[in-house]
Each structure stands twice: as C-alpha cells, then as structure tokens.
Amino acid sequence: RSLLHQPNSVVGSAASALVAMSPTDFSKFDTTYYVKSALAGGICCGFTHGAVCPVDVVKTRIQLEPQKYNKGMVGGFRQVISEEGAMALSTGLGATAVGYFIQGWFKFGGVEFFKIKAAAAVGEKKAWENRTAIYLGAAAGAEFIADIFLCPLEACRIRSVSDPGYAASLPGVAARLMKEEGVVRGFYSGFGPILFKQIPYTMAKFAVQGRAAEAMYGSMGKTPAECGAVLNTGVSLGSGVIAGVVSAIISHPADTLLSKVNKAGAGGDGSIPQRMMNITKETGVVKLCTQGLGARCVMIGTLTALQFGIFDTVMGLWAQRSSTSMLPNESKAFQMQSLHRVARCSKFLQERGQHIIT
C-alpha cells in the first residue's frame, strides 16, 4: 500500500511536517503573474461567452417571451432562424464578447489575487483546511468588482436581443440607452439582479470545480504533475461541466430577473427594486426558476468547462500553472499538489526514523 492509503493521523502528520519543511514561496506571485491570470481569464470568458451567444439568444427569448418561445431550446432555435434568419442568433455578440472579456479579466485575475493573499496571510496549512471558505470569499470579491464593468454591456446585450431593431451596433445601443434612459436606469437597472446572479454563480463555480477536480485526481491516485496535458485538460473540462450545471441552477432565478428587468417597460416605471418585485409577482417564483433553465444548463455547463480548460492551457503556455485551485505553484495549485506533497513526505519521515508501510 502507498502512503495515501495510511490512516488519516499518519497522513496528517506527514502533511504537517512537509508543509513546515517546504512552504510555498508567495513572492513568485507578482504583478506579472496577476496580469497573466487576468488576461487568460479575459480570453477564456470572452471566447466562451461569444461562442455560446446563439444559445444565449434563444435562452433570453424564452425568458422574455415564454408564450411565443414555448417549444424548448431546439424549437427556439428553429423559431428564431425561420422568422429572422440565422444571423439573428449572433445578436448582441459584440456586447457579449467585450463584456465578458472585461468580466473574465477581473474575475479570474481577482480570484487569483484574493485567494493567494488570503493563503499568504493565514499560512498554507490553515489555507488548505479552510480552502472552501477562501474559494467562496475570493470568488465573491472578484465577481463584485467584475460586475461593475459587466453590467452596462449586459444591459446593451439584452436590449439588442429583446429589440433587434433598437440599434445597429454596440456603440449605437449604448448611445441610445444613455440618451433615452440615462446612465443609472439605462446601464445599471440590472445591477442588483446581476450581483444576485453572478456572485452565487461564481462562488459555486470555483468552489465546486475545485472540489470536483480534487476528487477526480484523488480517484485516479495521481497528481497533475503525474498526468499528461491531455488528462489534465480532461479533468479541467469534466470538473468544469459539473461546476457549470450546479452554478447555473443556483443562479438561474436572478438570470431570468436580469433578462426581464432590462427589457423596455418591464416592471413599470417605479424604482429598480419595485420593478423587480413587480416582475417577480407577474412571472411567479416557479417560472422565474425554470424558464430557460435547460438552455442555460447546456450553455453554462459548456462554457464553464471550456473556460477552465482554456484558462489552464493559456497559463500553462506561459509556464504559470494556476488558477482554479488553491495556492498555485509551478506545477499546479496547492489543492491539487497536496497529495503529491504528502506522498513526498514518506521519505522525509523515514529519514527521521518514522516507519510507514508501503
């Protein structure tokens, strides 16, 4: 048997000894590292959200006009294409790609920044023991900042999808919204819903993906350093699908509310909270949670898997292994490396008179 199959007390003491012996050098995570993380996040989010734009168009139509688009995702595709042509599926593509590039920049870069600073503050051992809390806190903080920049572009995207004739381009949509409704109502009517949607989504996305990837490597009895690029990418994709579906279900009510509150005239003319309450009453809680959910699970599951796969690939090309996991280092995050670090501890303990059956 290997060290990984020994009692928890032995493994725990081994892990503690190794952490004490070879702590992570946090000084390597400098400004260049964070810029690379942010750029990789922008690339993966901008690309993936742009790629699933047709699904997003159909999903948004189902949410905004459920009486008309009531034949599911496949039926929705057929309706949009038959009535408006295939190019209608690319409505809002510019706002989507730009908005989510900016969001990905702050989200992935922010998560890296916050989790590394938290880990450095409490130490590796406590960071590992409290990794889920660090995931959740880092994700929430990063997403809040990202949403400040995403919200205006998301408002433009939804207005373009709900009213294809509103303007011919992203700058045109933005200019008309600002002229007719002002900055706050035009661009930030959906700020509450987008926070309610994106923060739980991102928290679940990073926490679930991290735990899912950890379980996958654990079930194989391997670490990322022992796996090839194809297998590591497969783990990123598989854990990303799981995280995407879970986070889509959690955040879907707010996503529906966001789509509706950015539609012209939706919820009346009162304050933003009043409009949101009116929309909730008109729609009903059940429909708010289920309209377009199937399409969104497909969309979010796909793009989340691709995001983690692309992010890790890009960071690998830059020789900056990272991201989705705790305490990144040269070969992978501390979360993924912990098993390897514990295994290495066998020799360390044996040299000091500890006897572990192998």
Side-chain angles (χ1 to χ4, degrees):
R1 294 190 302 167
S2 70
L3 174 65
L4 300 180
H5 296 112
Q6 301 306 314
N8 289 336
S9 60
V10 176
V11 174
S13 63
S16 299
L18 183 60
V19 168
M21 180 182 69
S22 55
T24 295
D25 177 14
F26 288 99
S27 64
K28 73 183 73 173
F29 304 117
D30 55 11
T31 301
T32 300
Y33 174 83
Y34 294 123
V35 170
K36 288 180 177 179
S37 298
L39 182 57
I43 291 170
C44 75
C45 287
F47 174 79
T48 54
H49 278 275
V52 298
C53 183
V55 179
D56 208 12
V57 169
V58 174
K59 182 266 300 180
T60 303
R61 295 287 179 89
I62 292 171
Q63 290 173 322
L64 296 178
E65 301 179 75
Q67 299 82 9
K68 179 179 179 180
Y69 296 95
N70 56 9
K71 299 178 182 178
M73 184 171 64
V74 175
F77 269 98
R78 290 174 178 168
Q79 282 181 268
V80 172
I81 293 172
S82 65
E83 294 175 7
E84 304 174 41
M87 288 302 295
L89 295 173
S90 64
T91 303
L93 177 59
T96 298
V98 173
Y100 282 94
F101 177 88
I102 295 172
Q103 187 235 23
W105 175 282
F106 287 101
K107 177 163 67 176
F108 277 84
V111 166
E112 288 295 313
F113 178 82
F114 288 128
K115 76 180 182 188
I116 291 170
K117 295 300 182 183
V122 303
E124 280 188 276
K125 186 173 184 296
K126 287 187 178 180
W128 172 247
E129 293 169 349
N130 298 280
R131 61 193 182 281
T132 299
I134 292 177
Y135 279 136
L136 296 175
E143 187 60 52
F144 180 86
I145 296 170
D147 288 345
I148 296 172
F149 298 92
L150 173 64
C151 195
L153 289 150
E154 186 72 351
C156 293
R157 181 194 70 81
I158 293 173
R159 185 58 60 92
S160 297
V161 174
S162 62
D163 184 2
Y166 191 76
S169 63
L170 172 58
V173 173
R176 184 173 172 184
L177 270 177
M178 183 178 294
K179 179 180 179 180
E180 294 180 353
E181 301 184 27
V183 173
V184 175
R185 184 180 176 89
F187 293 140
Y188 286 96
S189 289
F191 191 58
I194 207 170
L195 291 177
F196 184 41
K197 163 195 168 185
Q198 288 293 137
I199 289 180
Y201 160 74
T202 300
M203 292 170 72
K205 170 179 173 177
F206 282 95
V208 172
Q209 192 274 342
R211 287 303 188 116
E214 178 184 341
M216 289 179 181
Y217 283 113
S219 67
M220 294 186 292
K222 295 182 177 182
T223 67
E226 298 168 338
C227 301
V230 174
L231 185 54
N232 280 328
T233 301
V235 171
S236 295
L237 294 174
S239 58
V241 169
I242 296 170
V245 172
V246 172
S247 57
I249 294 171
I250 290 172
S251 62
H252 189 69
D255 182 70
T256 304
L257 193 60
L258 175 65
S259 294
K260 291 181 179 293
V261 81
N262 278 302
K263 184 179 180 181
D269 297 322
S271 64
I272 293 174
Q274 184 59 50
R275 291 174 61 206
M276 291 168 57
M277 289 297 299
N278 292 341
I279 291 170
T280 302
K281 291 177 182 178
E282 293 168 3
T283 306
V285 175
V286 174
K287 289 185 177 179
L288 205 65
C289 295
T290 58
Q291 283 179 350
L293 179 59
R296 189 157 188 266
C297 283
V298 172
M299 182 185 79
I300 299 298
T302 302
L303 71 83
T304 301
L306 292 174
Q307 282 175 8
F308 285 118
I310 293 171
F311 186 92
D312 283 347
T313 299
V314 172
M315 293 297 284
L317 292 174
W318 287 331
Q320 296 281 359
R321 300 302 301 175
S322 90
S323 82
T324 58
S325 328
M326 278 300 305
L327 300 179
N329 59 26
E330 296 92 337
S331 59
K332 193 67 176 174
F334 179 79
Q335 175 197 5
M336 302 306 182
Q337 277 292 338
S338 61
L339 297 178
H340 182 53
R341 292 163 68 86
V342 171
R344 284 167 49 208
C345 191
S346 175
K347 181 178 180 181
F348 171 77
L349 292 179
Q350 287 173 340
E351 290 174 350
R352 284 154 180 77
Q354 300 288 339
H355 300 290
I356 299 175
I357 299 173
T358 57

